[in-house]
Amino acid sequence: MSEDRHRLVVLGSMDEFVPLVRKARERGWHTIVCDGYPNTPAKLIADESYDVDPRDADAVARLCAEVGADGIVSSYSDLLAECCANIAQRAGLGCPLPPDRLAYLRDKSLMKGMFDELGIPYPKTARVRRGHVREDLEGMGFPCVTKPTDAWGSHGVRVLGDAREVEAAYDEVAGYSDAPYIFVEEYDDGLEFNLMSWVVDGRPVVLEVADREKSDDGEATVPWVSRIVYPSAHTDDVLGEATEMLQKVAGYVGLLNGPLCMQFFWAPGRGVRVCECAGRIFGYEHELLEYASAGAVCVEDLLLDNVYDPVAVSSRLEGHDPHLADVAAGLYFHGRDGRVVSVGGLPDESDPLVKETIVYYRPGEIISHQVGDKPYAARVYLCSPDRGELDRRTDELFQSASMTDGQGRELLLRNRRKVPEGTA
């Protein structure tokens, strides 16, 4: 092995990390994949792999020294971004933000304080303590959304109708965080968006704005994300205001080069209200950017460039237009707990609109919602130059997709496409 060959630690080993490891290896780099899960997809293709929990920053930092790592990378989850920053600081490796600054993009209490200082609007929020729920919710409107202080992956997020329901759910929500309180926000009924940007030399380049659509069949505690569409039909309505907010946040935390994403609401005449900002790329949807840009933007390339050559990111993004060349949609199928007996109605890649179909549960496997389990029952990525065509195929797949148990009970939550008011 060449002495000048980069030795890159990749923090994370699930299927989302497979393209990242492959691209690093294509560049001739030695890949070292590390997390607490054995025999996972990215570990099977890496040059080396280790089963070490990334939350143990000292242990992974020692591993970095032992394997001679000269770089570390992660993304796709707030937890892994935080772990990466902690490990990089201990191991003397580069990272977009040190832990104390990344905390403003992870800890909701610090984040809300930052928004207040920057004048960035967000839904009315209260810190709610155990045993003081009704007192702390005084003056709040309902329905409301509960959130743990520093959890990830929508754990503990609930839409609730009154203070009594918050009291009943408190222990479950608080269990995802060590903080002595939870956050409760007034429910925002505006349109919802995801925005991915990359900060280059201190200035955010908006990669895309996406429509974040949800479904609700009355059975789930909280509406679930069922479709994300790149680019948003409202890109021009929100782009200017959202970019100004990103610039303020990047300056506040001191981010010069790296990912900065934002989830927000918007309604005509009211403007943007921010749900949260994140110092990582959105997982299980960033592929849509590559599809919709006809391959012009690949997040894995940006992540890898940023480790050793941030100047290359500037070249890749020069002249980037967030309106994108095509329209891509991610369809996310969620399931109820149960043993899968039959799977049907999901397309394969012979369908001209389908870029990828991933079925997470096969017959005989059990759908579960414990922390660390598979995030979806299935997902399908579509791409077309025509949004109408994409909508029609979405509706067909939302009707046909099925996973049933031994009693014939449908395990998939029934997705419904969000139809704009005034349209059929």
Side-chain angles (χ1 to χ4, degrees):
M1 181 173 63
S2 171
E3 291 297 322
D4 61 358
R5 185 182 180 194
H6 284 307
R7 298 178 65 82
L8 178 69
V9 170
V10 178
L11 208 62
S13 70
M14 297 302 183
D15 55 316
E16 280 284 274
F17 289 89
V18 169
L20 188 65
V21 173
R22 282 182 177 151
K23 281 191 170 288
R25 296 194 70 193
E26 288 169 4
R27 295 183 181 207
W29 302 349
H30 186 85
T31 55
I32 304 145
V33 172
C34 175
D35 68 8
Y37 302 107
N39 303 316
T40 38
K43 287 183 176 179
L44 297 177
I45 64 170
D47 295 293
E48 297 180 55
S49 66
Y50 296 89
D51 301 338
V52 183
D53 191 327
R55 290 170 292 190
D56 189 342
D58 289 329
V60 182
R62 288 194 297 271
L63 174 64
C64 289
E66 291 167 5
V67 300
D70 64 353
I72 187 169
V73 67
S74 193
S75 196
Y76 313 136
S77 87
D78 292 308
L79 175 64
L80 285 177
E82 177 183 311
C83 292
C84 192
N86 289 331
I87 294 162
Q89 185 177 68
R90 288 165 171 77
L93 300 172
C95 198
L97 284 173
D100 63 324
R101 306 311 297 172
L102 182 64
Y104 287 94
L105 305 176
R106 166 82 161 120
D107 184 305
K108 292 179 179 62
S109 179
L110 292 174
M111 190 184 301
K112 304 292 186 184
M114 174 181 66
F115 290 162
D116 286 336
E117 287 190 45
L118 296 175
I120 292 176
Y122 57 89
K124 185 176 181 180
T125 303
R127 290 187 189 185
V128 178
R129 300 161 294 167
R130 181 180 282 104
H132 300 271
V133 172
R134 294 176 186 268
E135 172 189 348
D136 292 341
L137 288 176
E138 188 173 348
M140 287 286 288
F142 293 93
C144 67
V145 181
T146 61
K147 295 182 178 182
T149 301
D150 56 0
W152 73 99
S154 296
H155 295 301
V157 176
R158 300 289 181 266
V159 177
L160 302 174
D162 55 35
R164 178 187 56 80
E165 291 185 8
V166 176
E167 284 180 322
Y170 190 97
D171 286 344
E172 189 267 335
V173 175
Y176 291 104
S177 172
D178 293 328
Y181 53 84
I182 65 172
F183 280 103
V184 176
E185 299 176 356
E186 290 186 351
Y187 184 81
D188 194 306
D189 60 0
L191 298 174
E192 193 169 348
F193 302 85
N194 279 355
L195 183 156
M196 288 199 294
S197 82
W198 201 279
V199 178
V200 178
D201 295 330
R203 298 192 64 82
V205 176
V206 174
L207 304 179
E208 57 73 33
V209 182
D211 294 317
R212 191 172 194 261
E213 301 177 0
K214 293 181 176 180
S215 292
D216 183 355
D217 64 2
E219 296 183 31
T221 309
V222 62
W224 61 90
V225 175
S226 51
R227 191 174 80 144
I228 295 178
V229 186
Y230 288 50
S232 167
H234 295 278
T235 295
D236 290 334
D237 294 318
V238 303
L239 184 60
E241 188 177 2
T243 303
E244 289 179 9
M245 293 177 180
L246 288 169
Q247 183 66 71
K248 290 179 180 180
V249 171
Y252 189 96
V253 301
L255 180 59
L256 295 178
N257 295 284
L260 180 60
C261 295
M262 188 165 76
Q263 202 174 99
F264 63 94
F265 304 97
W266 172 85
R270 194 190 65 194
V272 169
R273 293 207 295 182
V274 178
C275 175
E276 62 183 44
C277 287
R280 46 87 180 178
I281 289 294
F282 293 126
Y284 294 104
E285 66 177 85
H286 71 269
E287 300 92 333
L288 297 169
L289 174 60
E290 186 171 357
Y291 296 144
S293 68
V297 181
C298 173
V299 163
E300 286 83 7
D301 282 329
L302 300 179
L303 287 167
L304 295 175
D305 285 348
N306 211 56
V307 177
Y308 300 114
D309 186 13
V311 174
V313 176
S314 178
S315 298
R316 288 186 189 277
L317 296 181
E318 186 174 359
H320 175 71
D321 183 350
H323 293 85
L324 308 178
D326 291 318
V327 184
L331 314 186
Y332 304 93
F333 296 90
H334 301 252
R336 304 175 181 86
D337 286 352
R339 183 181 295 276
V340 177
V341 170
S342 175
V343 177
L346 291 164
D348 60 31
E349 289 163 35
S350 65
D351 184 317
L353 267 62
V354 173
K355 288 292 187 179
E356 185 178 24
T357 295
I358 297 178
V359 179
Y360 288 97
Y361 294 95
R362 300 291 180 179
E365 296 181 330
I366 298 174
I367 296 177
S368 170
H369 291 87
Q370 299 301 311
V371 174
D373 285 336
K374 299 167 186 176
Y376 307 108
R379 58 187 167 99
V380 177
Y381 291 150
L382 306 175
C383 188
S384 170
D386 180 74
R387 183 162 180 146
E389 182 180 42
L390 206 70
D391 288 345
R392 288 188 291 274
R393 191 68 181 113
T394 294
D395 291 340
E396 292 168 358
L397 292 173
F398 280 175
Q399 288 299 312
S400 66
S402 176
M403 289 186 182
T404 57
D405 65 11
Q407 287 72 50
R409 181 176 68 115
E410 181 59 64
L411 296 178
L412 291 186
L413 300 182
R414 183 54 59 200
N415 288 346
R416 293 179 177 86
R417 181 173 61 86
K418 184 177 180 65
V419 179
E421 291 184 11
T423 65

